[in-house]
Amino acid sequence: MKALVFNEFGNSDVLQYVDVPDATAQKGEILLSTTAIGLNFADIYRRKGNYHIVGEPPYVLGYEGAGVVVAIGEGVTEFAAGDRVAFVDVPLANAELVAVPVSKAIPIPAAIRDDVAASVLLQGLTASYLAKDSYAIKYGDVALVHAVAGGVGQMLTQIITSLGGQVIGLTSSEEKAEVARKLGAEEVLLYSDNWAEKLAGKIDVAYDSVGSTLMDSFSAVRDKGTVVFYGMSGGDPSAVDPRMLMDTSKTLTGGDLWSFLTSKDERIKRSHALFEMISSGKITVNQPRKFSLSEGKAAHDLLESRKSTGKILLIP
């Protein structure tokens, strides 16, 4: 089978599109012929060596995608050849064939295309737990969404508004701000604005995926408000003084998707709730930017440039 691999850590030049041994379905697994593979910043971090990666080279990136069942491993009764399946945390996905444990296989409803499923799972499930678990949005809540035009930001904006909340977004350019406005953000500020001062005390909850902005997020939220910290795209956050939390009755909570996808049933329940929001029109999924798997270098370069506003997919 063909796969996108690399043998040493580095920039996108290390990526190669080559033949590797076919993946096979072992006991408790199904084998998918991949139809769409999600590209995420975690893939870039692993390619650079910033994130831990197991095994020996050649390394195969990718953890998110969709495909069609072509083989069934021993003991599997829930799936049959031809079934459409998605996954969100299965390694070695940048390949024509991927072995998926049944415990991590997500059936794709008829109303959802493969490319949509591969576009929304990681970012959509993250947005969903942020708005419903980390801080449960109530009608009238004002939420500050960092990186509002990014994949999670776009989904989070729409989920918050569907729950009756209002979104104030933060982004890096006017072009990206317009994307967020079209998806329901009531106001969008640029990071170059003095946003923390402008918003001081006006925000009920801030969803901060930047990290280095954490203390500014605290400045924006009201007394008794909440900051949800779930990423560090801009660097490590400053230390938080617990006395500040006590004096202002503010809350700091962390967020990680894998704390919520704790079982097969939970994974399918949350995924299908997300699919239902899409099929019912509560969430609009912008057309993903598609590259062939052989064009992996160009796809990595685009994502790393931070000029993209939608999902990037690799198509085998």
Side-chain angles (χ1 to χ4, degrees):
M1 67 179 184
K2 291 288 189 180
L4 188 67
V5 310
F6 65 101
N7 290 286
E8 58 184 349
F9 300 115
N11 63 26
S12 63
D13 291 333
V14 302
L15 295 170
Q16 303 175 50
Y17 183 65
V18 298
D19 288 301
V20 299
D22 285 356
T24 58
Q26 303 300 309
K27 183 177 181 180
E29 294 180 337
I30 53 177
L31 186 68
L32 298 187
S33 174
T34 50
T35 52
I37 303 162
L39 181 63
N40 297 289
F41 268 102
D43 296 310
I44 289 174
Y45 298 148
R46 289 187 177 94
R47 187 201 75 216
K48 289 182 171 181
N50 301 128
Y51 280 7
H52 179 66
I53 190 167
V54 298
E56 300 293 331
Y59 299 114
V60 181
L61 294 171
Y63 281 78
E64 173 187 39
V68 178
V69 177
V70 293
I72 303 290
E74 180 187 348
V76 176
T77 59
E78 302 97 315
F79 294 96
D83 287 350
R84 297 164 58 239
V85 172
F87 56 89
V88 70
D89 56 350
V90 176
L92 312 179
N94 282 188
E96 292 177 318
L97 297 171
V98 178
V100 177
V102 168
S103 61
K104 295 185 176 181
I106 301 166
I108 303 175
I112 301 295
R113 302 193 315 269
D114 288 12
D115 62 339
V116 172
S119 296
V120 302
L121 275 178
L122 183 63
Q123 295 166 340
L125 291 174
T126 297
S128 181
Y129 87 74
L130 290 171
K132 297 178 180 180
D133 297 286
S134 295
Y135 176 95
I137 293 291
K138 305 179 297 299
Y139 183 85
D141 277 344
V142 179
L144 177 65
V145 176
H146 283 264
V148 70
V152 173
Q154 290 186 32
M155 293 285 186
L156 184 55
T157 294
Q158 294 178 85
I159 293 174
I160 290 170
T161 54
S162 74
L163 294 171
Q166 299 176 3
V167 171
I168 297 177
L170 288 168
T171 192
S172 59
S173 70
E174 186 53 41
E175 178 186 11
K176 290 184 176 182
E178 187 57 29
V179 170
R181 293 187 190 101
K182 289 179 179 178
L183 292 175
E186 187 158 306
E187 182 180 359
V188 183
L189 301 176
L190 302 184
Y191 280 111
S192 56
D193 297 333
N194 191 7
W195 58 270
E197 185 174 322
K198 291 179 180 178
L199 299 176
K202 298 179 180 179
I203 304 300
D204 295 300
V205 56
Y207 293 101
D208 194 322
S209 58
V210 177
S212 58
T213 55
L214 190 64
M215 297 315 298
D216 285 335
S217 292
F218 271 114
S219 296
V221 299
R222 60 171 174 78
D223 282 10
K224 297 187 290 184
T226 297
V227 173
V228 182
F229 168 56
Y230 72 101
M232 296 181 291
S233 64
D236 291 336
S238 301
V240 176
D241 185 352
R243 293 171 298 181
M244 179 275 289
L245 299 177
M246 179 182 69
D247 292 343
T248 60
S249 299
K250 295 178 182 179
T251 297
L252 171 63
T253 186
D256 184 83
L257 176 60
W258 314 121
S259 298
F260 298 92
L261 300 186
T262 52
S263 68
K264 173 184 173 182
D265 290 344
E266 191 72 15
R267 186 182 306 267
I268 292 176
K269 180 184 75 173
R270 287 177 179 267
S271 298
H272 282 204
L274 177 64
F275 291 149
E276 173 59 29
M277 293 187 77
I278 294 169
S279 59
S280 66
K282 291 181 180 178
I283 291 179
T284 298
V285 180
N286 286 335
Q287 184 68 22
R289 179 73 181 273
K290 297 179 181 179
F291 293 82
S292 70
L293 187 58
S294 62
E295 298 173 315
K297 171 180 164 51
H300 275 238
D301 288 343
L302 177 60
L303 183 59
E304 205 164 359
S305 74
R306 299 186 183 271
K307 293 180 180 178
S308 61
T309 56
K311 187 71 174 184
I312 297 174
L313 296 181
L314 300 171
I315 308 299

